[in-house]
Structures are given as C-alpha cells and as structure tokens.
Amino acid sequence: MATEKETKQSSSGLDFHLHPLVLLNVSDHHTRAKANLQDASLPPPRVLGCLLGQQTGRVVDVSNSFEFVYEATPTGLVIDEGLLTKKTEQYKQVFPKLDIVGWYATGEEIQDDDMAIHRKVMELNESPVFLLFHTQQSIVRKDLPVSLFESELHVVEDRPSFHFVQSKFTVETSEAERIGVNQVAKVHATGNPTGTDQLAAHLTAIQSALKMLSGRIGILYQHIQHMQNGQVPHDHALLRQASSLLRSLPAMESKQFKQEYIMEYSDAMLSLMMSTVTKGLYNVNEVVDKFNMAYDRLGRRRTPM
C-alpha cells in the first residue's frame, strides 16, 4: 500500500482545474453511503465514481462526476462495466463536450486495488487522473481534503510498471456556479434555501470590495500627485508597479467596450422594469379580487327575498 508521502510528484506539466460541483458530488456520495449503513458503528464503505470534463491543450478541466457500481470479490473490486457504458452514453447525449478524464475514490491512502481500477479506466482514457477524497476529519489539515494523482510508467527492477504520482490542482468556478454552489452549501436545516439572501450577501460583498479598491486607488493617486509636486521623494519601484498595473487594464475607451456596456446596461434595466411591472400587475390583481369579493357580498345583501 502506497501512502501519499511515498508518492512522487508528477512531471507531466498538465494544469488541472477542479470545479466545486465535483467535490460536492463526492461528498454527497460518501454521506449517502454512510447514512445507509444498518450498523452505525461500522466504518463507511468506500465509494467510487467517474470524473467528467474536457482537456484543452495542457489544461484538464474536471467539471462533473457520477458514481461507479462495483462488487468486492476475493480477487479485488469488479466494476459494473455495462452500467458505466450506459451512464457515459447518457451523459454524452446531454453534455456532448464532456469526456471521461478520470475517476475518484474515498479514503486516506492509495489502496492495492486502485491501480487495477485505474487500468480499467485507461481503456476509456489513455491518461486518466485519480482523485482521492479524504473523509477523516483533521484539525491539522488546512487545505482541501483532496489529493490528485496521475500514473507514470516507471522501470523498477527491470520491469516496467505504472505508479501513481501526485499532481497539483486549482479550484476554478464561474460566477453563476459560485452563487449556485454557495446556495446549495448553505441550505437551512428546515430545507428552505435562501437564494435571495445569498445573492444579496454576494452582491454586498462585491460592493464592499469595489469600495475598498476605489479607496486604495485614490490613495495611490494622491501619493503619485505628491511625488509629481515634489512633496515626497520619488519611489521608482512604486511608479514601475503602478505603470505595470495600468498597462494590464483593458482599454475602456474602445467602441466595442461601449457597445457591450450599453447592451448589458439595457438588459439590466429591462429586467428591472419587467420585475416592477410584474409586481404592479400582482398588486392590481389583488385589488380587483378584493373589489369583486366586496361587490358580490354587497349585491347579495341588496337582493330582495
């Protein structure tokens, strides 16, 4: 059994981007397997699954996953290949750009059967990645409880064999995915999501960050003005950093930028107007219903016997 300390670092040069949805899927898979145990004193079973994503050049984007169904035999773990093929075809119909890029498992260390499973996944992808999700809590660990491995062919005692090598990864998420994952992760105990509150908190945080950025830019601008007026000595290192920062900013005066800005501004104002009109129609509808109810009662009172 190979531990992480014994595992060498990868030299492939691939850049792995891991999306939060994958971590949520693996955590949910492990939680359901643990909750379905008849005896709570037993250790939770190990769960396996397939990683989906796409590779563009040297960048491997892992964005989704689904579960493996396997059976433990005296010779090792046997994966249900028929179900694996069926699920892969179903995902390809909905997400044609996603391919199998690897597989995942839970545990603290690499197991003896992992290389056999890795070889089985290599039939679908010649260079799959292995994600090991650590389920034991540790107060010492500061990073995510995840390790990523590749396989490399090494010659040991004149015999070529595959070995796991650890790879580095970064967690990448889009704006929409960040809001959605944040809402799912912070659902109340009653089961009622607070999507509006989460969005408001997210927008408030962005507003605070922009205010802080504006304030710091103002301080930097005043300091440079004082340099220009001779009130403070020139700091050439600071000026070079400010010049580099300004060159990295996009051109705001271009025609394309103005068109895109006006289009987004118009879309936002249209959405705001539609929500206001919808709210107004709802209020009018309530007034009409109340008026009809009161008019019907008044008409019944005036009807002669």
Side-chain angles (χ1 to χ4, degrees), residues 236-291:
H236 297 284
L238 178 62
L239 292 175
R240 285 194 295 268
Q241 292 179 0
S243 177
S244 176
L245 178 62
L246 291 175
R247 290 194 185 97
S248 63
L249 294 176
M252 299 298 182
E253 300 298 331
S254 64
K255 183 177 180 181
Q256 181 180 1
F257 175 80
K258 290 183 178 180
Q259 291 179 350
E260 292 181 357
Y261 176 78
I262 292 175
M263 184 178 298
E264 291 186 3
Y265 178 78
S266 301
D267 292 342
M269 295 303 296
L270 180 61
S271 301
L272 181 61
M273 184 182 67
M274 290 180 63
S275 62
T276 305
V277 171
T278 303
K279 186 176 180 181
L281 292 175
Y282 175 77
N283 294 333
V284 171
N285 190 29
E286 283 191 340
V287 172
V288 171
D289 291 341
K290 293 178 181 179
F291 178 80

Side-chain angles (χ1 to χ4, degrees), residues 164-221:
F164 285 114
V165 291
Q166 192 166 4
S167 301
K168 296 181 180 180
F169 65 93
T170 57
V171 178
E172 181 175 304
T173 176
S174 62
E175 190 74 15
E177 187 179 21
R178 186 182 299 112
I179 296 174
V181 171
N182 191 30
Q183 178 181 348
V184 172
K186 295 184 178 180
V187 173
H188 283 197
T190 57
N192 298 324
T194 56
T196 305
D197 297 338
Q198 296 298 329
L199 179 59
H202 178 71
L203 295 178
T204 303
I206 292 178
Q207 184 184 16
S208 301
L210 290 175
K211 286 183 178 180
M212 183 182 297
L213 178 62
S214 178
R216 293 185 177 182
I217 291 177
I219 295 174
L220 180 61
Y221 177 72

Side-chain angles (χ1 to χ4, degrees), residues 58-201:
R58 309 297 295 177
V59 178
V60 180
D61 195 74
V62 185
S63 56
N64 206 342
S65 64
F66 63 84
E67 304 168 7
F68 277 162
V69 176
Y70 69 92
E71 181 182 359
T73 63
T75 58
L77 301 180
V78 178
I79 299 175
D80 190 342
E81 298 183 15
L83 183 59
L84 173 60
T85 303
K86 182 179 179 180
K87 276 194 171 184
T88 304
E89 293 176 352
Q90 291 175 347
Y91 266 91
K92 290 293 290 184
Q93 292 177 359
V94 182
F95 307 103
K97 294 183 179 180
L98 295 185
D99 299 315
I100 294 179
V101 296
W103 65 290
Y104 71 83
T106 56
E108 297 302 314
E109 298 178 350
I110 298 176
Q111 304 295 326
D112 296 334
D113 298 332
D114 289 346
M115 184 53 69
I117 301 174
H118 197 77
R119 288 179 178 273
K120 182 63 65 176
V121 180
M122 289 177 68
E123 298 177 1
L124 305 174
N125 187 321
E126 60 181 8
S127 57
V129 63
F130 171 40
L131 186 146
L132 184 62
F133 191 90
H134 308 290
T135 55
Q136 294 184 2
Q137 297 182 357
S138 175
I139 60 175
V140 181
R141 182 185 292 126
K142 297 182 179 179
D143 299 330
L144 289 173
V146 175
S147 298
L148 210 62
F149 299 93
E150 297 178 78
S151 60
E152 291 183 355
L153 186 62
H154 294 171
V155 179
V156 180
E157 297 179 357
D158 298 332
R159 296 180 57 185
S161 59
F162 285 99
H163 293 268
F164 285 114
V165 291
Q166 192 166 4
S167 301
K168 296 181 180 180
F169 65 93
T170 57
V171 178
E172 181 175 304
T173 176
S174 62
E175 190 74 15
E177 187 179 21
R178 186 182 299 112
I179 296 174
V181 171
N182 191 30
Q183 178 181 348
V184 172
K186 295 184 178 180
V187 173
H188 283 197
T190 57
N192 298 324
T194 56
T196 305
D197 297 338
Q198 296 298 329
L199 179 59

Side-chain angles (χ1 to χ4, degrees), residues 33-45:
K34 184 177 180 180
N36 291 333
L37 285 175
Q38 299 296 332
D39 189 355
S41 61
L42 295 176

